[in-house]
Coordinates of all heavy atoms in Angstrom, one line a residue:
I1 N -48.6 -39.5 51.3 CA -49.6 -40.4 51.7 C -50.3 -40.9 50.4 O -50.9 -40.1 49.7 CB -50.7 -39.7 52.6 CG1 -50.0 -39.2 53.9 CG2 -51.8 -40.7 53.0 CD1 -50.9 -38.3 54.7
P2 N -50.3 -42.2 50.2 CA -50.9 -42.7 49.0 C -52.5 -42.7 49.0 O -53.1 -42.8 50.1 CB -50.5 -44.2 48.9 CG -50.2 -44.6 50.3 CD -49.7 -43.3 51.0
V3 N -53.1 -42.4 47.9 CA -54.5 -42.5 47.8 C -54.9 -44.0 47.8 O -54.4 -44.8 47.0 CB -55.0 -41.8 46.5 CG1 -56.5 -42.0 46.3 CG2 -54.6 -40.3 46.5
H4 N -55.8 -44.3 48.7 CA -56.2 -45.7 48.9 C -56.9 -46.2 47.7 O -57.7 -45.5 47.0 CB -57.2 -45.8 50.1 CG -57.3 -47.2 50.6 ND1 -58.2 -48.1 50.0 CD2 -56.7 -47.9 51.6 CE1 -58.1 -49.3 50.6 NE2 -57.2 -49.2 51.6
K5 N -56.6 -47.5 47.3 CA -57.2 -48.0 46.1 C -58.7 -48.1 46.1 O -59.3 -48.1 45.1 CB -56.6 -49.4 45.9 CG -57.0 -50.4 47.0 CD -56.4 -51.8 46.7 CE -56.8 -52.8 47.8 NZ -56.3 -54.2 47.6
D6 N -59.3 -48.1 47.3 CA -60.8 -48.2 47.4 C -61.4 -46.8 47.2 O -62.6 -46.7 46.9 CB -61.2 -48.7 48.8 CG -60.9 -50.1 49.0 OD1 -60.7 -50.9 48.0 OD2 -60.9 -50.6 50.2
H7 N -60.6 -45.7 47.2 CA -61.1 -44.4 47.0 C -60.2 -43.6 46.1 O -59.7 -42.5 46.4 CB -61.2 -43.7 48.4 CG -61.9 -44.5 49.5 ND1 -63.2 -44.7 49.5 CD2 -61.4 -45.1 50.6 CE1 -63.5 -45.4 50.5 NE2 -62.4 -45.7 51.2
P8 N -60.0 -44.1 44.9 CA -59.1 -43.4 43.9 C -59.6 -42.0 43.5 O -58.9 -41.2 43.0 CB -59.0 -44.3 42.7 CG -60.3 -45.1 42.8 CD -60.6 -45.2 44.3
Y9 N -60.9 -41.7 43.7 CA -61.5 -40.5 43.3 C -61.4 -39.4 44.3 O -61.9 -38.3 44.1 CB -63.0 -40.8 43.1 CG -63.6 -41.6 44.2 CD1 -63.9 -41.1 45.5 CD2 -63.9 -43.0 44.1 CE1 -64.4 -41.8 46.5 CE2 -64.4 -43.8 45.1 CZ -64.7 -43.2 46.3 OH -65.2 -43.9 47.4
C10 N -60.9 -39.6 45.5 CA -61.1 -38.8 46.7 C -60.4 -37.4 46.5 O -60.8 -36.5 47.2 CB -60.7 -39.4 48.0 SG -58.9 -39.7 48.2
I11 N -59.3 -37.3 45.7 CA -58.6 -36.0 45.6 C -58.1 -35.8 44.2 O -57.7 -36.7 43.5 CB -57.4 -36.0 46.6 CG1 -56.7 -34.7 46.7 CG2 -56.4 -37.1 46.3 CD1 -55.8 -34.5 47.9
N12 N -58.2 -34.5 43.8 CA -57.8 -34.1 42.5 C -56.3 -33.8 42.5 O -55.8 -32.8 43.0 CB -58.5 -32.9 42.0 CG -60.0 -33.1 41.7 OD1 -60.4 -34.3 41.6 ND2 -60.7 -32.1 41.5
L13 N -55.5 -34.7 41.8 CA -54.0 -34.5 41.7 C -53.7 -34.1 40.3 O -54.2 -34.6 39.4 CB -53.3 -35.8 42.1 CG -53.6 -36.3 43.5 CD1 -53.2 -37.8 43.6 CD2 -52.7 -35.6 44.5
F14 N -52.8 -33.1 40.2 CA -52.4 -32.7 38.8 C -51.1 -33.3 38.4 O -50.7 -33.2 37.2 CB -52.3 -31.2 38.7 CG -51.3 -30.5 39.5 CD1 -49.9 -30.5 39.1 CD2 -51.6 -29.7 40.6 CE1 -49.0 -29.8 39.8 CE2 -50.6 -29.1 41.3 CZ -49.3 -29.1 40.9
N15 N -50.4 -34.1 39.3 CA -49.3 -34.9 38.9 C -49.6 -36.4 38.8 O -50.2 -36.9 39.8 CB -48.1 -34.7 39.9 CG -47.5 -33.3 39.8 OD1 -47.2 -32.8 38.7 ND2 -47.3 -32.7 41.0
T16 N -49.1 -37.0 37.8 CA -49.3 -38.5 37.8 C -48.3 -39.2 38.7 O -48.4 -40.3 39.1 CB -49.1 -39.0 36.4 OG1 -47.9 -38.6 35.8 CG2 -50.2 -38.5 35.5
D17 N -47.2 -38.5 39.0 CA -46.1 -39.0 39.9 C -46.1 -38.3 41.3 O -45.1 -37.9 41.8 CB -44.7 -38.9 39.2 CG -44.4 -37.4 38.9 OD1 -45.3 -36.5 39.0 OD2 -43.2 -37.1 38.6
Y18 N -47.3 -38.2 41.9 CA -47.5 -37.4 43.1 C -46.7 -38.0 44.3 O -46.5 -37.4 45.3 CB -48.9 -37.3 43.4 CG -49.6 -38.5 44.0 CD1 -49.8 -38.6 45.4 CD2 -50.1 -39.5 43.2 CE1 -50.5 -39.7 45.9 CE2 -50.7 -40.6 43.7 CZ -50.9 -40.7 45.1 OH -51.5 -41.8 45.6
L19 N -46.3 -39.3 44.2 CA -45.6 -39.9 45.3 C -44.1 -39.9 45.1 O -43.3 -40.3 46.0 CB -46.0 -41.4 45.5 CG -47.5 -41.6 46.0 CD1 -47.8 -43.1 46.0 CD2 -47.7 -40.9 47.4
T20 N -43.6 -39.4 44.0 CA -42.2 -39.5 43.7 C -41.6 -38.1 43.3 O -41.3 -37.3 44.1 CB -41.9 -40.5 42.6 OG1 -42.7 -40.3 41.4 CG2 -42.2 -41.9 43.1
N21 N -41.5 -37.9 42.0 CA -40.8 -36.7 41.5 C -41.6 -35.4 41.4 O -41.0 -34.3 41.3 CB -40.2 -37.0 40.1 CG -39.2 -38.1 40.1 OD1 -38.5 -38.3 41.1 ND2 -39.1 -38.9 39.0
L22 N -42.9 -35.5 41.4 CA -43.8 -34.3 41.4 C -43.5 -33.4 40.2 O -43.5 -32.2 40.2 CB -43.6 -33.5 42.6 CG -43.8 -34.2 44.0 CD1 -43.5 -33.3 45.1 CD2 -45.3 -34.7 44.1
S23 N -43.3 -34.1 39.0 CA -43.0 -33.3 37.8 C -43.7 -33.7 36.5 O -43.5 -33.1 35.5 CB -41.5 -33.4 37.5 OG -41.1 -34.7 37.4
A24 N -44.5 -34.8 36.6 CA -45.2 -35.3 35.4 C -46.7 -34.8 35.4 O -47.5 -35.3 36.2 CB -45.2 -36.8 35.4
L25 N -46.9 -33.7 34.7 CA -48.3 -33.1 34.6 C -49.3 -34.0 34.0 O -49.1 -34.6 32.9 CB -48.2 -31.8 33.8 CG -49.4 -30.9 33.9 CD1 -49.6 -30.4 35.3 CD2 -49.2 -29.7 32.9
D26 N -50.4 -34.2 34.7 CA -51.5 -35.0 34.2 C -52.3 -34.2 33.2 O -53.4 -33.7 33.5 CB -52.4 -35.5 35.3 CG -53.3 -36.7 34.9 OD1 -53.5 -36.8 33.7 OD2 -53.8 -37.4 35.8
T27 N -51.8 -34.1 32.0 CA -52.4 -33.2 31.0 C -53.8 -33.8 30.5 O -54.7 -33.0 30.2 CB -51.5 -33.1 29.7 OG1 -51.2 -34.4 29.2 CG2 -50.2 -32.3 30.1
D28 N -53.9 -35.1 30.5 CA -55.2 -35.7 30.1 C -56.3 -35.3 31.1 O -57.4 -34.9 30.7 CB -55.1 -37.2 30.1 CG -54.3 -37.7 28.9 OD1 -54.1 -36.9 27.9 OD2 -53.8 -38.8 28.9
K29 N -56.0 -35.4 32.4 CA -57.1 -35.0 33.4 C -57.4 -33.6 33.4 O -58.6 -33.2 33.3 CB -56.6 -35.4 34.8 CG -57.6 -35.0 35.9 CD -57.2 -35.4 37.3 CE -58.1 -34.9 38.3 NZ -59.6 -35.3 38.1
L30 N -56.4 -32.7 33.3 CA -56.6 -31.3 33.3 C -57.4 -30.8 32.1 O -58.3 -30.0 32.2 CB -55.3 -30.5 33.4 CG -54.5 -30.7 34.8 CD1 -53.1 -30.0 34.7 CD2 -55.3 -30.1 35.9
S31 N -57.0 -31.3 30.9 CA -57.7 -30.9 29.7 C -59.1 -31.4 29.7 O -60.1 -30.7 29.3 CB -56.9 -31.3 28.5 OG -56.8 -32.8 28.5
A32 N -59.4 -32.6 30.2 CA -60.7 -33.1 30.3 C -61.6 -32.3 31.2 O -62.7 -32.0 31.0 CB -60.7 -34.6 30.6
D33 N -61.0 -32.0 32.4 CA -61.8 -31.2 33.4 C -62.1 -29.8 32.9 O -63.2 -29.3 33.1 CB -61.0 -31.1 34.7 CG -60.9 -32.5 35.4 OD1 -61.6 -33.4 35.0 OD2 -60.1 -32.5 36.4
L34 N -61.1 -29.2 32.2 CA -61.4 -27.9 31.7 C -62.4 -27.9 30.6 O -63.2 -27.0 30.5 CB -60.1 -27.2 31.2 CG -59.2 -26.8 32.3 CD1 -57.7 -26.5 31.8 CD2 -59.7 -25.5 33.0
A35 N -62.4 -29.0 29.8 CA -63.4 -29.1 28.7 C -64.8 -29.3 29.4 O -65.8 -28.7 28.9 CB -63.1 -30.3 27.9
A36 N -64.9 -30.1 30.5 CA -66.2 -30.2 31.2 C -66.7 -28.9 31.8 O -67.9 -28.6 31.7 CB -66.0 -31.3 32.3
A37 N -65.7 -28.1 32.3 CA -66.1 -26.8 32.8 C -66.6 -25.9 31.7 O -67.6 -25.2 31.8 CB -64.9 -26.1 33.5

């Protein structure tokens, strides 16, 4: 199920390819979130 363009913020995904191969880790998001924590 795609994330609607009007609500791109609604769910935390750790894959950038969540609709296809499920193998590309979103390292930028994870490292930024952990730094914020």
Side-chain angles (χ1 to χ4, degrees):
I1 302 172
V3 176
H4 197 279
K5 64 179 182 179
D6 292 341
H7 311 289
Y9 46 75
C10 69
I11 187 165
N12 288 349
L13 299 161
F14 66 77
N15 289 315
T16 58
D17 59 348
Y18 76 100
L19 294 176
T20 55
N21 296 328
L22 305 174
S23 59
L25 189 63
D26 193 342
T27 56
D28 290 341
K29 176 175 177 55
L30 292 174
S31 58
D33 289 353
L34 286 163

